[in-house]
Amino acid sequence: MTAEGDKDIAGLKAIGRIVDEILSLLCAEVRAGVTTAELDAKAGLWLAERGALPTPKQVYDFPGNLCISINDEVVHGIPSEREIRSGDLVKLDLTADKDSYVADATRMASVGPMDKHVLKLARCAEAALGKGLEQARAGKRLRDIGRAVEAEVRRQGFAIIPPLQGHGVGRTVHELPNVPNYDDPAATQELHEGLIITLEPIISMGKPDIRQLSDGWTLKTRDGSYSAHYEQTIMVTKGAPLVLTAQ
């Protein structure tokens, strides 16, 4: 999607605020003994109160209001009766729509004492997104974002998971273009003003190989290593991008 005027920008800002607000509320609810199903139910309630809907449930029939992935679960974790435990790294990925506008973001929450290497992993994902944002401006290319993200992740000693990338958003959950988290020579598309995309470094403490569980949704690292995921929806401008999910 490309925002074409004040109406589009206002609509995108509105759903961006809703996604950001609900993720902040959910992070505050993450603690030992809480089930991911309980978090999912609260997300559904808070979305309904704000007149918004969970987009993946509508588009893909995803069995939840948001994806909740823990530790070695990389993305697309299904909410369940699983209890969160001390030491867990919890990734909350919420995509929602209101008035035909869509925003997508992921936050991480930890429970109790966190292993210092896992904490470094989570902070690396956030730092890598920041490096990507520096390149996300009109006239740059998608490859510039990926190069910056990859350089930061490698500098800190972690691995990019190449198949999992950012993407266009704004009208539905996944749109073109894909936004790689690595220096992809094929990612030559030039960024233009008003383009709505997500930046989302998805990284691993170990090897980058992943596998899908029998539930048809959840992706995990093959070697059981922890993964981290941080995501924002942005609008490209001539200068610093407008981060719609962190206003």
Side-chain angles (χ1 to χ4, degrees):
M1 177 186 176
T2 298
E4 296 181 349
D6 291 343
K7 179 183 177 183
D8 283 348
I9 294 172
L12 290 161
K13 282 184 173 181
I15 189 59
R17 280 192 297 269
I18 288 171
V19 168
D20 183 39
E21 180 181 18
I22 292 176
L23 285 173
S24 296
L25 291 170
L26 287 169
C27 284
E29 295 290 325
V30 173
R31 58 184 180 275
V34 171
T35 70
T36 56
E38 289 172 329
L39 295 175
D40 184 71
K42 289 183 177 181
L45 175 63
W46 292 331
L47 284 168
E49 288 177 345
R50 292 159 176 79
L53 294 168
T55 315
K57 179 180 283 190
Q58 300 176 85
V59 175
Y60 301 125
D61 198 26
F62 178 75
N65 295 300
L66 77 163
C67 302
I68 306 179
S69 307
I70 300 176
N71 300 336
D72 63 333
E73 295 173 348
V74 183
V75 290
H76 305 161
I78 298 174
S80 69
E81 295 306 316
R82 175 181 181 178
E83 290 188 359
I84 295 170
R85 301 177 299 178
S86 181
D88 281 346
L89 178 63
V90 181
K91 290 146 283 187
L92 305 162
D93 184 355
L94 178 63
T95 309
D97 60 88
K98 181 178 182 179
D99 299 330
S100 299
Y101 295 101
V102 178
D104 183 7
T106 301
R107 302 287 183 267
M108 291 175 284
S110 58
V111 183
M114 179 61 61
D115 179 275
K116 65 179 182 180
H117 299 295
V118 177
L119 184 59
K120 181 182 178 183
L121 177 77
R123 289 175 174 169
C124 176
E126 293 191 40
L129 189 142
K131 295 295 184 181
L133 288 175
E134 293 174 3
Q135 300 299 316
R137 57 188 63 204
K140 290 284 190 175
R141 298 186 183 275
L142 291 169
R143 184 179 184 180
D144 296 321
I145 296 174
R147 182 187 297 118
V149 169
E150 183 180 27
E152 180 63 19
V153 173
R154 291 188 180 278
R155 185 186 72 80
Q156 295 202 37
F158 299 114
I160 290 291
I161 301 176
L164 303 176
Q165 307 180 9
H167 51 87
V169 72
R171 292 297 188 189
T172 188
V173 58
H174 289 122
E175 303 176 11
L176 293 175
N178 294 323
V179 184
N181 290 313
Y182 60 97
D183 186 8
D184 181 359
T188 58
Q189 179 175 328
E190 186 173 297
L191 304 174
H192 59 267
E193 285 189 82
L195 180 65
I196 310 301
I197 56 175
T198 71
L199 271 61
E200 50 180 314
I202 303 172
I203 67 177
S204 169
M205 186 179 289
K207 294 181 178 180
D209 305 305
I210 55 176
R211 62 187 178 92
Q212 188 175 64
L213 298 189
S214 59
D215 62 23
W217 290 100
T218 309
L219 296 177
K220 298 182 72 169
T221 56
R222 285 193 177 276
D223 61 6
S225 59
Y226 278 53
S227 70
H229 179 194
Y230 193 65
E231 177 184 17
Q232 302 278 31
T233 293
I234 71 165
M235 184 177 77
V236 174
T237 74
K238 289 181 180 178
L242 174 61
V243 182
L244 296 162
T245 46
Q247 297 175 51

